[in-house]
Structure formats: C-alpha cells, structure tokens
Amino acid sequence: MKKMAGLFLLGVAALGLAGCGPKGNGSSGEANTDGKKKAKYDLLVWEDQAKAAGIADAVAQFEKDNNVKVKVTEKAYAGQIEDMRLDGPAGTGADVFTIPGDQVGTAVTEGLIAKLDVDKATQDIYTPAAIESQIIDGKVYGLPKAVETQILYYNKALVTESELPKTVGDWLTYSKAHTTKDSYGLLALWDQIYYAQGVLSPYGGYIFGKDKSGNYDPKDIGLDNAGAIEGENIIKQFYDAKVFPSGIVGEQGINVLDSLFTEGKAAAVISGPWNVDPYKAAGIDYGVAELPLLDNGKHMGSFIGVKSYNVSGYSKNKALAEKFVKFITNEANSKVRYEKTQEVPAVKALAEDEAVKKNAVTVAIATQSQYGELTPGITEMNSVWKPVDAALQTVATGKSEPKVALKEAVAQIKSAIAANAK
C-alpha cells in the first residue's frame, strides 16, 4: 500500500466522542485529589483522517450499550502502524487502530495486533479477499472495513465513454495519436510494482506463489518468469513510444500524473478512489471505469487494498476492544460508514444495496476487484517494493531491458529475505 501512503499523509486531527457510565479500567487517566487515577475513557480508537464522522453514530451506540466511553482520534491511515511501534510499548497507543491489509503479517510478527475470536458466521459476511487479508496461519487478526483498488479515470471533455479504447494496446495507439507537448492519452505509474503488477500478473507474473496450504511461499518468486518479462515488455512500449512524460518516472511521478489530469492535459489515468474528491475539486468532469483488457484477452489486474480495524497487542482492554471491532464492522454500521465516507464497504451484502449500486466509483471498484489480487500480507513483502520499483524505473528510462532488470530485482529480493531471516 505504499503509494497510498503518499496519498494519505496530510495531518492529524482529533475527535472525542462522549458516553456515560462508570469507568474503572480505562486506557488513559488523570489524577484525582486522592492521587489515584480517574479514567477518561475505556477505549482509544485511531481512525483514518476525515473518517471519524463515518463511525460517530456507531460509537455513540456502543458507548450506550456497554456503559463505556470511547475516544476517537483521527490519524493518517498509512502512518498508524509506525505510530503503534512507538506508542504501543509506551502505553499511549490506541486500543483499536487501522492498518493496510498487506501489513497484517508484519504486525502479527511484531506483536502489534492481537488475535481475535471470530466465528465462521461473522467471517462470512465479508468478501473473501477482504477477510482473507486478516487471516494469518488460520487465525483472524482483524476485521475489514473498506476495500479499494485501481480504476480508470477519463476526462469526458477529451474522450467519451463510447470512445474509450478497450485494450491496453488500443490505448497505446490512442496515446500515440494524441500526445503533443501539452496533451497525453493514457497515463499510468508503471514504474511502480503496485501499478505494474496489473499488467505482469495476467501474463503469468506473480510476487509470491502459495504452498499446498494456501500460504504465501517467500521462496517462490515469479517476478522474473517468462510471463512477468512479457508483461514488462508491453509496458516498455509506452515508454519507448514516449507517450509518457519523463517526469512521470520516480518519486514525483504521482504528482505529475495527478497534475496533468487535473489540468485537463491527460485523457485518462489509472489511479484509485483516493482521487475521487481531488479530481472533482479540480473541476474535471470525469467518468470512471474498470481497467482495460490486455492484448492476450485477459483483463488487466490490480492490487486490492483492504483497510481493517485491529486490536492492539498492547491494549489493556482487549476483550472490549474486540467487541468494538465486531460491532463497528457489522453490516448496519458498515452501511452507515459507506454513506458518510463513500469508502467501498467490505460486507458482501452491501454490494447489492441500491445506494451502493448507483455510485459509479463503487461499481467500477467492485467490477475491477473481480480481477484483482491481494497484496501479499507477509513480512517478506517489505523486501519487494524498493528493488522492483528500481528495476522498473531502469526499464522506463531505457537503462535496462525487462529480462535483465527483473532478474536482478529478484536476486536482490532473495538476498534481502535471507539476510532478514538470520
């Protein structure tokens, strides 16, 4: 989820939600006149930025039903796991916080999150991919609250829905015909594995294979196999044709892509639901759609991101925190959260909700998710991002060929995994 980190980090705000009743074992306290501590709240919850309103009613109900007080603090979603590494041991961390699904494995290894007792009936209310992201070695460590994946945004003033190219190859042809000094066709951050995997995977490339038990096998890396190389050669055609501006490669690429689209200079971009409001605020009349087909007939893939609520391994109120997580992610509360935040819910039944089905972005995400895959949620994934991105950038800039670059990246990944295992 690292590209989302670049999208989410903006600032910190706090929202306290009050309740009533006696407090005896709170997560925080202040001194009484007798020197003893009087609890200020029973649970501290870290919620994503600008998302606390989505759970406000549910929190108030939980407080009333359980005669407790819950404090909700908004924190940048992508930074919460790092904050927990420091605040958890210090006793100032949240009881419940939210992390990317691909960081669950790392959080379990580090003892940052606690195992939950979730029965099969509860697990079954969520989409398979969403709940799978929370299960490590058959044990549940959180419950999903939202899912997201990449979709296609197109500028209706430049290309209508009926004119949209159907395949990646068609988009290359379109981009060649519409690329000038101030205009572009399709733009994508294919120098990053988060986006490039959507092309590599349908050709047979994969990050980690799975063993007979369905667990990721970090010894089985498929980023340099024939399929991955074929997919990267497809991507290379866009750079060779110079239909992508040079500034789209590297750390600032995401800013360049967004700027070109919001300035009306790009017909389409591949991005995620995090840009719904920014693109709208820029005044762009855009449409959304699932990602295009590839020339081999398969649908372009994408990583599915899952946001979850997890109980801190350092919480002193784990039972209450687990009860809160189950309550806040049930169908009724998930629907309200969706209505107030527009984040696509992870509850299966809500896919048929009329309000959800009328939202074009939600429909595009749900459709694309059928062709998506979870980002591997094991600690070894941390060894993948940098070397593969670096390799893809050497291809984008013409400094290396796909076969050479990808094989070197896999060698680096294996070396890093081995070093971390010692």
Side-chain angles (χ1 to χ4, degrees):
M1 298 294 287
K2 67 171 190 171
K3 78 279 13 129
M4 295 179 211
L7 312 157
F8 303 148
L9 298 173
L10 292 175
V12 177
L15 173 63
L17 300 175
C20 57
K23 312 294 181 286
N25 297 303
S27 299
S28 180
E30 58 187 3
N32 278 333
T33 54
D34 60 3
K36 296 181 180 179
K37 281 192 173 181
K38 175 184 177 182
K40 290 193 289 186
Y41 49 82
D42 297 271
L43 290 178
L44 173 61
V45 176
W46 286 349
E47 178 56 285
D48 197 2
Q49 281 191 294
K51 298 294 188 295
I55 62 171
D57 293 344
V59 169
Q61 188 63 50
F62 184 83
E63 290 179 318
K64 181 179 179 181
D65 293 346
N66 295 278
N67 195 28
V68 296
K69 188 167 184 178
V70 179
K71 179 179 180 180
V72 179
T73 297
E74 291 184 343
K75 275 180 172 284
Y77 154 64
Q80 290 190 23
I81 189 171
E82 186 61 37
D83 288 344
M84 186 57 70
R85 289 187 175 108
L86 299 174
D87 296 345
T92 57
D95 297 283
V96 175
F97 65 117
T98 184
I99 61 175
D102 65 313
Q103 290 296 307
V104 170
T106 296
V108 170
T109 300
E110 297 181 18
L112 298 177
I113 56 178
K115 180 176 73 68
L116 306 183
D117 183 12
V118 182
D119 59 31
K120 185 68 165 54
T122 301
Q123 293 180 42
D124 286 345
I125 75 170
Y126 306 103
T127 60
I131 191 63
E132 180 187 339
S133 73
Q134 303 302 304
I135 299 175
I136 303 294
D137 294 331
K139 300 174 182 178
V140 180
Y141 287 90
L143 290 178
K145 63 174 180 175
V147 296
E148 56 192 3
T149 197
Q150 302 154 37
I151 53 177
L152 183 81
Y153 290 83
Y154 61 94
N155 187 330
K156 293 180 180 180
L158 300 178
V159 57
T160 65
E161 182 178 3
S162 61
E163 296 171 333
L164 283 178
K166 302 301 181 184
T167 70
V168 170
D170 291 341
W171 270 113
L172 178 58
T173 299
Y174 178 94
S175 296
K176 288 179 178 178
H178 291 81
T179 297
T180 67
K181 182 179 179 181
D182 295 312
S183 65
Y184 299 90
L186 171 69
L187 298 182
L189 300 174
W190 283 336
D191 66 319
Q192 300 176 23
I193 187 58
Y194 176 75
Y195 294 94
Q197 184 65 7
V199 179
L200 274 54
S201 181
Y203 283 97
Y206 57 89
I207 296 180
F208 296 121
K210 292 186 176 181
D211 59 25
K212 294 180 180 179
S213 300
N215 297 316
Y216 287 109
D217 181 1
K219 295 181 181 179
D220 180 10
I221 303 174
L223 285 170
D224 62 346
N225 65 18
I229 294 169
E230 183 177 2
E232 182 57 18
N233 274 310
I234 298 297
I235 289 174
K236 185 175 182 292
Q237 294 178 19
F238 281 77
Y239 294 105
D240 289 348
K242 300 188 184 306
V243 295
F244 287 172
S246 59
I248 207 172
V249 178
E251 292 183 1
Q252 295 302 312
I254 190 168
N255 297 324
V256 174
L257 178 143
D258 289 341
S259 293
L260 289 173
F261 191 70
T262 56
E263 291 169 6
K265 296 180 179 180
V269 295
I270 293 175
S271 189
W274 49 85
N275 267 328
V276 167
D277 289 336
Y279 288 172
K280 186 180 298 183
I284 299 297
D285 181 18
Y286 65 80
V288 294
E290 62 192 84
L291 300 184
L293 296 170
L294 289 157
D295 291 346
N296 64 355
K298 294 185 178 181
H299 201 287
M300 187 176 166
S302 58
F303 277 133
I304 299 173
V306 179
K307 292 183 177 182
S308 57
Y309 286 114
N310 305 82
V311 175
S312 168
Y314 297 97
S315 173
K316 299 185 184 303
N317 260 338
K318 289 187 178 67
L320 184 63
E322 178 175 324
K323 189 175 184 179
F324 175 83
V325 168
K326 292 176 180 176
F327 179 75
I328 209 74
T329 58
N330 67 25
E331 182 178 339
N333 290 326
S334 292
K335 181 178 180 179
V336 172
R337 187 177 188 281
Y338 165 73
E339 291 170 346
K340 294 188 176 182
T341 68
Q342 293 300 292
E343 287 195 316
V344 180
V347 175
K348 286 188 290 189
L350 293 180
E352 297 304 316
D353 184 86
E354 288 304 314
V356 174
K357 290 166 69 175
K358 290 179 181 178
N359 186 301
V361 174
T362 302
V363 171
I365 292 173
T367 303
Q368 178 57 36
S369 293
Q370 299 178 60
Y371 311 103
E373 60 184 292
L374 286 171
T375 310
I378 56 177
T379 56
E380 288 82 0
M381 187 64 194
N382 295 328
S383 299
V384 172
W385 299 112
K386 288 185 178 180
V388 180
D389 284 1
L392 296 178
Q393 287 169 19
T394 63
V395 174
T397 55
K399 296 177 181 178
S400 184
E401 291 297 313
K403 183 175 182 178
V404 174
L406 291 176
K407 287 193 176 298
E408 289 180 351
V410 169
Q412 292 175 32
I413 294 170
K414 290 180 176 179
S415 178
I417 291 175
N420 292 332
K422 294 181 179 179

